[in-house]
């Protein structure tokens, strides 16, 4: 799993072996962007501390229609690409 925290975003592009952390303020917009990136990853991603606003939950519903599995936990959400 790759982990995305409320104030940081770890992105590992395909073919690159390493992690980079970008510190961002938490918001539903950043949560939605993290969800989209996680849906395109080559492995499951855990998003920690994401916003569960109505907009974010609507995006989760849309991603699930494309075969992405999103499972909420007490601390965040696991996103599994199709």
């Amino acid at each position: 799993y790759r982990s995305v925290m409320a104030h940081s975003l770890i992105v590992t592009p395909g073919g690159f072996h390493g992690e980079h952390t970008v510190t961002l303020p938490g918001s539903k917009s950043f949560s939605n962007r993290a969800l989209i990136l996680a849906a395109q990853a080559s492995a499951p991603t855990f998003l920690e501390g994401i916003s569960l606003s109505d907009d974010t939950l609507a995006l989760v519903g849309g991603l699930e229609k494309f075969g992405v599995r999103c499972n909420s936990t007490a601390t965040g959400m696991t996103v599994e690409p199709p």
Side-chain angles (χ1 to χ4, degrees):
Y1 289 96
R2 289 183 189 92
S3 179
V4 177
M5 303 177 79
H7 296 287
S8 26
L9 175 63
I10 300 170
V11 179
T12 304
F16 182 77
H17 302 288
E19 292 184 352
H20 298 278
T21 302
V22 178
T23 303
L24 304 169
S27 75
K28 69 180 178 183
S29 296
F30 289 125
S31 294
N32 288 350
R33 291 177 185 133
L35 279 166
I36 291 169
L37 289 171
Q40 296 176 16
S42 59
T45 302
F46 183 73
L47 304 175
E48 182 177 341
I50 67 168
S51 166
L52 294 178
S53 68
D54 290 342
D55 291 348
T56 301
L57 295 176
L59 176 60
V60 166
L63 291 173
E64 288 176 337
K65 289 181 181 181
F66 285 102
V68 176
R69 292 191 307 187
C70 300
N71 300 305
S72 293
T73 68
T75 59
M77 183 176 294
T78 300
V79 181
E80 297 181 46

